[in-house]
Amino acid sequence: MPDDHTYILLFDGVCNLCNGIVKFIIKRDPAKKFRFAALQSDVGKALLEKSGLGDMQTVVLIHGDKYYIKSSAALHVLKELGGIWKICYALIIIPRPIRDLIYDVVSKTRYRVFGRRNTCMVPAPGVRDRFIVD
């Protein structure tokens, strides 16, 4: 398992939007702060159970003993990517219910707009070490 300095992002492994976001993060994370696991995987399910979050169908960011979901997870990822992306973290001042409402609208339409896969993404050889697999 990753150490407390690593961020683990649990994502919907069959969602094309989510897979695109994972690729976006990998490209902008040369320090390799982030590791990834699909929500549908045994590892993802075990991490959710350990966190007490239950069966989530949303992005979850884990850092040590802290867990962030929905818009809070997305904003923390952008903050940790640094550079220009860090500026987006200022959106944290928007009350969470409002941020999460926007997140939920995107989440509910993601399959219809971006499509979905029949199986979880298989990481390319050069980034396989960034994924926590069963």
Side-chain angles (χ1 to χ4, degrees), residues 27-130:
K27 186 175 179 179
R28 289 157 183 82
D29 179 32
K32 298 184 177 183
K33 290 182 184 181
F34 294 95
R35 301 273 317 269
F36 307 93
L39 288 164
Q40 297 88 343
S41 70
D42 289 340
V43 170
K45 291 174 186 174
L47 287 167
L48 286 174
E49 186 176 319
K50 179 182 174 189
S51 71
L53 293 174
D55 185 26
M56 299 292 291
Q57 295 299 313
T58 187
V59 66
V60 178
L61 181 65
I62 304 168
H63 184 237
D65 60 354
K66 296 179 183 166
Y67 300 86
Y68 306 97
I69 62 170
K70 297 186 178 190
S71 65
S72 295
L75 290 174
H76 277 87
V77 166
L78 292 170
K79 176 181 159 187
E80 290 304 319
L81 286 178
I84 191 92
W85 305 109
K86 195 173 191 175
I87 294 169
C88 298
Y89 188 72
L91 295 171
I92 202 82
I93 65 168
I94 298 171
R96 189 175 47 113
I98 295 170
R99 286 186 282 118
D100 283 350
L101 178 66
I102 295 165
Y103 178 94
D104 288 341
V105 168
V106 173
S107 178
K108 287 180 180 157
T109 61
R110 71 186 188 271
Y111 292 147
R112 189 171 15 147
V113 174
F114 298 98
R116 67 180 289 164
R117 304 163 181 244
N118 291 327
T119 61
C120 289
M121 163 175 98
V122 175
V127 296
R128 231 176 242 148
D129 63 328
R130 305 286 300 275

Side-chain angles (χ1 to χ4, degrees), residues 10-22:
L10 303 179
F11 68 100
D12 182 349
V14 297
C15 168
N16 287 336
L17 173 62
C18 303
N19 284 292
I21 290 170
V22 167

